[in-house]
Amino acid sequence: MAEEAACCVVSVLGPPGGPEPAGGPCSCSGVILSRGPGLVLCQGAVFAPFLRDGPAAWAQSCALPPAALRPHLRLLVLQPPAGTRALDAPPGGGLRRHEARLLALVPCEAFGRALARAFGQAERWRFGGEAAGDDPRALGWFAWLRVPGLDAPGGGWTARVGAGCLRKGEGLLACGSPFGALCPDLFINTLSRGVVSNLAGEENTLILTDARCLPGTEGGGAFLPSPAGPRLVAVIAASFCWKGAEWVGLTLLCSLAAILRSSAGVLDEAGVVVPPAPGRVAAARAGGRRDPLAWAALVECGMAWGSGVLLGPRLLLTCRHVVEAGGPLSVTPAPGPGRAAAVLRGRVVFATEESSPFDVAVVELEESVPGFVPPHLADTFLPGQEVSVVGFGALGRACGPSVTSGVLSAVVAVAGRPVMLQTTCAVHGGSSGGPLISSCSGHLLGIVASNTRDTDAGTTYPHLNFCVPITVLQSPVARYHHTGNPAAFAALNRADEGVRAAWRLQQQPGLPSKL
């Protein structure tokens, strides 16, 4: 595949006879940007153990030359063998190895600014690959390598595209090598599919994706599918991230265009001419002119916040636990084309009782959302169908709603009636109340109720989560539209024992679940 042909592993070995870093040779993934001349771009943090000035070097605002590193380092670029990998080959025997030299370490200042705005220090964010003592400032640094062994007659640049045209929910393919140079025969240039989860910064400098990447893939590429073939759009900066003790399960990317802008001086000094990237027209959304992002809203009630889904210009569904604090309630619909984010006041007209298995609240807005186009409501659910969740989990209000993708992993029915949906989308604290959407039809399937937490281990599992099917809510909503009487939702408090057992996450009889 073109993605695999454009990626590689970069290994940094200390000087002969000198001490190696505690963890052995350092390695990461990289992208082959050009074969005329041979150029590789990779993560800058892989050089951290070899900096003459130590972590203080990351405070620089300008590029670091090779002299900033300890002398006599050996840099290797590893490529997979041409064609299919053969596991009966001698270990590493099929890999192509090229000597490389460092041109410079370059900071992407636009990425650093976007990172500081999107990820507040008070929320204790940590990123994949960070060990105790690692300097988070290294996240925004990238390394340019000159690799003569990659020079090819008539060789050009890897096809690429700017990140400014990206939109949330769009598909991406990430390519990197888990664990770097460890067992490259097995792991080099593996692929992971996901979507654009969120965007921040100038021209979308910072990109979050739910493509699942592991430590060692930092420096690998993120590719945008297109009819003409994949286009490199970003570089993996961190393989996954945590917010406090919660594993978020998203991968952090830096726009390639932003790195190229920051590297203009270095590349010009090296005599490298960067060809312009072609423009791109965004593809049409599923569901015609209905925009699933426009159905999501940030719901704030006192000190608590979560997500909600708009069913009408003034009608919103969310979860009871989002609004149970009882403070002043505000709703901020997601901004869209021609529509800025506006904070609207609302009031809770109905909330299920705490004893109800359905964690649902109904909110009426004081003003209508202008230009609102209501969602189509699904009436069937197919296990295995591709779905996405839209909500304000993880980043909250910082960057608007996030999108995560997965499949409908289970439909739990009682007496032939769906009462719970399970998905593999990454769902985080703050996503509760957000819409679950069919990726194919664009229809609204349900609202997110919770993810899963192992109370013994204190671990959250974002990719196992539960939603209330929209079919449970459709009749009460229709009656409420017709009568204006909140009593239309009272049936949600009268679920039978089978439904209650399903939402208690336990089988009757038996021991209570720890989830």
Side-chain angles (χ1 to χ4, degrees), residues 127-129 209 211-218 236-241 249-252:
F127 297 94
T209 176
R212 300 186 196 179
C213 300
L214 294 173
T217 59
E218 295 87 357
I236 300 171
S239 51
F240 42 72
C241 40
L250 299 179
T251 296
L252 183 66

PDB file of all heavy atoms in Angstrom, residues 127-129 209 211-218 236-241 249-252:
ATOM      1  N   PHE A 127       0.588  12.145  27.667  1.00  0.00           N
ATOM      2  CA  PHE A 127       0.533  11.638  26.303  1.00  0.00           C
ATOM      3  C   PHE A 127       1.348  10.358  26.179  1.00  0.00           C
ATOM      4  O   PHE A 127       2.336  10.148  26.875  1.00  0.00           O
ATOM      5  CB  PHE A 127       1.042  12.693  25.327  1.00  0.00           C
ATOM      6  CG  PHE A 127       0.186  13.928  25.335  1.00  0.00           C
ATOM      7  CD1 PHE A 127       0.503  15.011  26.141  1.00  0.00           C
ATOM      8  CD2 PHE A 127      -0.972  13.983  24.576  1.00  0.00           C
ATOM      9  CE1 PHE A 127      -0.300  16.135  26.178  1.00  0.00           C
ATOM     10  CE2 PHE A 127      -1.783  15.101  24.609  1.00  0.00           C
ATOM     11  CZ  PHE A 127      -1.448  16.175  25.402  1.00  0.00           C
ATOM     12  N   GLY A 128       0.933   9.496  25.262  1.00  0.00           N
ATOM     13  CA  GLY A 128       1.550   8.189  25.080  1.00  0.00           C
ATOM     14  C   GLY A 128       3.041   8.296  24.843  1.00  0.00           C
ATOM     15  O   GLY A 128       3.505   9.167  24.113  1.00  0.00           O
ATOM     16  N   GLY A 129       3.800   7.388  25.456  1.00  0.00           N
ATOM     17  CA  GLY A 129       5.242   7.407  25.317  1.00  0.00           C
ATOM     18  C   GLY A 129       5.938   8.248  26.362  1.00  0.00           C
ATOM     19  O   GLY A 129       7.152   8.168  26.518  1.00  0.00           O
ATOM     20  N   THR A 209      -7.316  12.033  16.445  1.00  0.00           N
ATOM     21  CA  THR A 209      -7.990  10.958  15.748  1.00  0.00           C
ATOM     22  C   THR A 209      -8.200   9.785  16.698  1.00  0.00           C
ATOM     23  O   THR A 209      -7.437   9.611  17.655  1.00  0.00           O
ATOM     24  CB  THR A 209      -7.189  10.485  14.520  1.00  0.00           C
ATOM     25  OG1 THR A 209      -7.850   9.362  13.920  1.00  0.00           O
ATOM     26  CG2 THR A 209      -5.783  10.051  14.891  1.00  0.00           C
ATOM     27  N   ALA A 211      -7.983   6.755  15.555  1.00  0.00           N
ATOM     28  CA  ALA A 211      -7.157   5.653  15.063  1.00  0.00           C
ATOM     29  C   ALA A 211      -6.239   5.209  16.206  1.00  0.00           C
ATOM     30  O   ALA A 211      -5.585   6.040  16.835  1.00  0.00           O
ATOM     31  CB  ALA A 211      -6.342   6.093  13.859  1.00  0.00           C
ATOM     32  N   ARG A 212      -6.207   3.915  16.489  1.00  0.00           N
ATOM     33  CA  ARG A 212      -5.488   3.432  17.668  1.00  0.00           C
ATOM     34  C   ARG A 212      -4.025   3.172  17.323  1.00  0.00           C
ATOM     35  O   ARG A 212      -3.700   2.317  16.512  1.00  0.00           O
ATOM     36  CB  ARG A 212      -6.149   2.163  18.199  1.00  0.00           C
ATOM     37  CG  ARG A 212      -7.595   2.406  18.592  1.00  0.00           C
ATOM     38  CD  ARG A 212      -8.211   1.204  19.243  1.00  0.00           C
ATOM     39  NE  ARG A 212      -9.666   1.320  19.273  1.00  0.00           N
ATOM     40  CZ  ARG A 212     -10.470   0.410  19.773  1.00  0.00           C
ATOM     41  NH1 ARG A 212      -9.974  -0.699  20.285  1.00  0.00           N
ATOM     42  NH2 ARG A 212     -11.783   0.595  19.759  1.00  0.00           N
ATOM     43  N   CYS A 213      -3.148   3.925  17.959  1.00  0.00           N
ATOM     44  CA  CYS A 213      -1.711   3.823  17.737  1.00  0.00           C
ATOM     45  C   CYS A 213      -1.024   3.509  19.071  1.00  0.00           C
ATOM     46  O   CYS A 213      -1.541   3.852  20.129  1.00  0.00           O
ATOM     47  CB  CYS A 213      -1.163   5.120  17.150  1.00  0.00           C
ATOM     48  SG  CYS A 213      -1.903   5.556  15.555  1.00  0.00           S
ATOM     49  N   LEU A 214       0.135   2.894  18.988  1.00  0.00           N
ATOM     50  CA  LEU A 214       0.876   2.475  20.176  1.00  0.00           C
ATOM     51  C   LEU A 214       2.198   3.223  20.264  1.00  0.00           C
ATOM     52  O   LEU A 214       2.660   3.804  19.272  1.00  0.00           O
ATOM     53  CB  LEU A 214       1.137   0.965  20.127  1.00  0.00           C
ATOM     54  CG  LEU A 214      -0.086   0.051  20.219  1.00  0.00           C
ATOM     55  CD1 LEU A 214       0.311  -1.398  19.976  1.00  0.00           C
ATOM     56  CD2 LEU A 214      -0.762   0.196  21.574  1.00  0.00           C
ATOM     57  N   PRO A 215       2.832   3.236  21.450  1.00  0.00           N
ATOM     58  CA  PRO A 215       4.148   3.868  21.557  1.00  0.00           C
ATOM     59  C   PRO A 215       5.105   3.301  20.510  1.00  0.00           C
ATOM     60  O   PRO A 215       5.133   2.097  20.243  1.00  0.00           O
ATOM     61  CB  PRO A 215       4.596   3.502  22.981  1.00  0.00           C
ATOM     62  CG  PRO A 215       3.316   3.355  23.736  1.00  0.00           C
ATOM     63  CD  PRO A 215       2.352   2.754  22.765  1.00  0.00           C
ATOM     64  N   GLY A 216       5.881   4.176  19.924  1.00  0.00           N
ATOM     65  CA  GLY A 216       6.767   3.805  18.828  1.00  0.00           C
ATOM     66  C   GLY A 216       6.244   4.259  17.489  1.00  0.00           C
ATOM     67  O   GLY A 216       7.014   4.408  16.530  1.00  0.00           O
ATOM     68  N   THR A 217       4.927   4.500  17.404  1.00  0.00           N
ATOM     69  CA  THR A 217       4.364   5.007  16.140  1.00  0.00           C
ATOM     70  C   THR A 217       4.547   6.510  15.995  1.00  0.00           C
ATOM     71  O   THR A 217       4.273   7.050  14.917  1.00  0.00           O
ATOM     72  CB  THR A 217       2.870   4.669  16.030  1.00  0.00           C
ATOM     73  OG1 THR A 217       2.169   5.252  17.139  1.00  0.00           O
ATOM     74  CG2 THR A 217       2.638   3.165  16.030  1.00  0.00           C
ATOM     75  N   GLU A 218       5.013   7.183  17.045  1.00  0.00           N
ATOM     76  CA  GLU A 218       5.252   8.629  16.948  1.00  0.00           C
ATOM     77  C   GLU A 218       6.207   8.905  15.783  1.00  0.00           C
ATOM     78  O   GLU A 218       7.238   8.255  15.649  1.00  0.00           O
ATOM     79  CB  GLU A 218       5.852   9.165  18.243  1.00  0.00           C
ATOM     80  CG  GLU A 218       4.932   9.074  19.444  1.00  0.00           C
ATOM     81  CD  GLU A 218       5.019   7.741  20.179  1.00  0.00           C
ATOM     82  OE1 GLU A 218       5.770   6.855  19.707  1.00  0.00           O
ATOM     83  OE2 GLU A 218       4.344   7.576  21.203  1.00  0.00           O
ATOM     84  N   ILE A 236       2.195  11.735  13.380  1.00  0.00           N
ATOM     85  CA  ILE A 236       1.800  11.320  14.727  1.00  0.00           C
ATOM     86  C   ILE A 236       2.746  11.959  15.744  1.00  0.00           C
ATOM     87  O   ILE A 236       3.963  11.757  15.700  1.00  0.00           O
ATOM     88  CB  ILE A 236       1.827   9.791  14.863  1.00  0.00           C
ATOM     89  CG1 ILE A 236       0.859   9.150  13.861  1.00  0.00           C
ATOM     90  CG2 ILE A 236       1.480   9.362  16.291  1.00  0.00           C
ATOM     91  CD1 ILE A 236       0.974   7.629  13.763  1.00  0.00           C
ATOM     92  N   ALA A 237       2.181  12.741  16.659  1.00  0.00           N
ATOM     93  CA  ALA A 237       2.978  13.393  17.709  1.00  0.00           C
ATOM     94  C   ALA A 237       2.962  12.596  19.008  1.00  0.00           C
ATOM     95  O   ALA A 237       3.955  12.563  19.739  1.00  0.00           O
ATOM     96  CB  ALA A 237       2.452  14.809  17.956  1.00  0.00           C
ATOM     97  N   ALA A 238       1.827  11.971  19.341  1.00  0.00           N
ATOM     98  CA  ALA A 238       1.722  11.149  20.542  1.00  0.00           C
ATOM     99  C   ALA A 238       0.703  10.063  20.264  1.00  0.00           C
ATOM    100  O   ALA A 238      -0.347  10.307  19.675  1.00  0.00           O
ATOM    101  CB  ALA A 238       1.301  11.980  21.761  1.00  0.00           C
ATOM    102  N   SER A 239       1.023   8.849  20.703  1.00  0.00           N
ATOM    103  CA  SER A 239       0.229   7.706  20.293  1.00  0.00           C
ATOM    104  C   SER A 239      -1.109   7.604  21.002  1.00  0.00           C
ATOM    105  O   SER A 239      -2.062   7.083  20.450  1.00  0.00           O
ATOM    106  CB  SER A 239       1.029   6.416  20.499  1.00  0.00           C
ATOM    107  OG  SER A 239       1.548   6.360  21.820  1.00  0.00           O
ATOM    108  N   PHE A 240      -1.220   8.029  22.236  1.00  0.00           N
ATOM    109  CA  PHE A 240      -2.515   8.129  22.904  1.00  0.00           C
ATOM    110  C   PHE A 240      -2.354   9.012  24.123  1.00  0.00           C
ATOM    111  O   PHE A 240      -1.245   9.420  24.454  1.00  0.00           O
ATOM    112  CB  PHE A 240      -3.107   6.764  23.288  1.00  0.00           C
ATOM    113  CG  PHE A 240      -2.145   5.779  23.867  1.00  0.00           C
ATOM    114  CD1 PHE A 240      -1.630   5.920  25.154  1.00  0.00           C
ATOM    115  CD2 PHE A 240      -1.742   4.679  23.123  1.00  0.00           C
ATOM    116  CE1 PHE A 240      -0.755   4.999  25.686  1.00  0.00           C
ATOM    117  CE2 PHE A 240      -0.858   3.752  23.652  1.00  0.00           C
ATOM    118  CZ  PHE A 240      -0.364   3.906  24.924  1.00  0.00           C
ATOM    119  N   CYS A 241      -3.465   9.319  24.773  1.00  0.00           N
ATOM    120  CA  CYS A 241      -3.378  10.291  25.854  1.00  0.00           C
ATOM    121  C   CYS A 241      -4.319   9.943  26.994  1.00  0.00           C
ATOM    122  O   CYS A 241      -5.283   9.203  26.839  1.00  0.00           O
ATOM    123  CB  CYS A 241      -3.658  11.705  25.331  1.00  0.00           C
ATOM    124  SG  CYS A 241      -4.980  11.845  24.128  1.00  0.00           S
ATOM    125  N   GLY A 249      -7.678   7.412  24.883  1.00  0.00           N
ATOM    126  CA  GLY A 249      -7.654   6.537  23.727  1.00  0.00           C
ATOM    127  C   GLY A 249      -7.661   7.251  22.395  1.00  0.00           C
ATOM    128  O   GLY A 249      -8.045   6.679  21.382  1.00  0.00           O
ATOM    129  N   LEU A 250      -7.252   8.518  22.354  1.00  0.00           N
ATOM    130  CA  LEU A 250      -7.140   9.260  21.097  1.00  0.00           C
ATOM    131  C   LEU A 250      -5.670   9.498  20.772  1.00  0.00           C
ATOM    132  O   LEU A 250      -4.822   9.522  21.667  1.00  0.00           O
ATOM    133  CB  LEU A 250      -7.876  10.600  21.189  1.00  0.00           C
ATOM    134  CG  LEU A 250      -9.379  10.541  21.446  1.00  0.00           C
ATOM    135  CD1 LEU A 250      -9.954  11.947  21.530  1.00  0.00           C
ATOM    136  CD2 LEU A 250     -10.105   9.729  20.386  1.00  0.00           C
ATOM    137  N   THR A 251      -5.372   9.653  19.494  1.00  0.00           N
ATOM    138  CA  THR A 251      -4.012   9.864  19.020  1.00  0.00           C
ATOM    139  C   THR A 251      -3.849  11.324  18.601  1.00  0.00           C
ATOM    140  O   THR A 251      -4.729  11.895  17.959  1.00  0.00           O
ATOM    141  CB  THR A 251      -3.715   8.925  17.836  1.00  0.00           C
ATOM    142  OG1 THR A 251      -3.771   7.573  18.284  1.00  0.00           O
ATOM    143  CG2 THR A 251      -2.347   9.193  17.243  1.00  0.00           C
ATOM    144  N   LEU A 252      -2.730  11.907  18.977  1.00  0.00           N
ATOM    145  CA  LEU A 252      -2.445  13.325  18.731  1.00  0.00           C
ATOM    146  C   LEU A 252      -1.588  13.459  17.481  1.00  0.00           C
ATOM    147  O   LEU A 252      -0.529  12.834  17.369  1.00  0.00           O
ATOM    148  CB  LEU A 252      -1.724  13.912  19.948  1.00  0.00           C
ATOM    149  CG  LEU A 252      -1.388  15.391  19.951  1.00  0.00           C
ATOM    150  CD1 LEU A 252      -2.652  16.235  19.973  1.00  0.00           C
ATOM    151  CD2 LEU A 252      -0.519  15.714  21.167  1.00  0.00           C
TER     152      LEU A 252
END
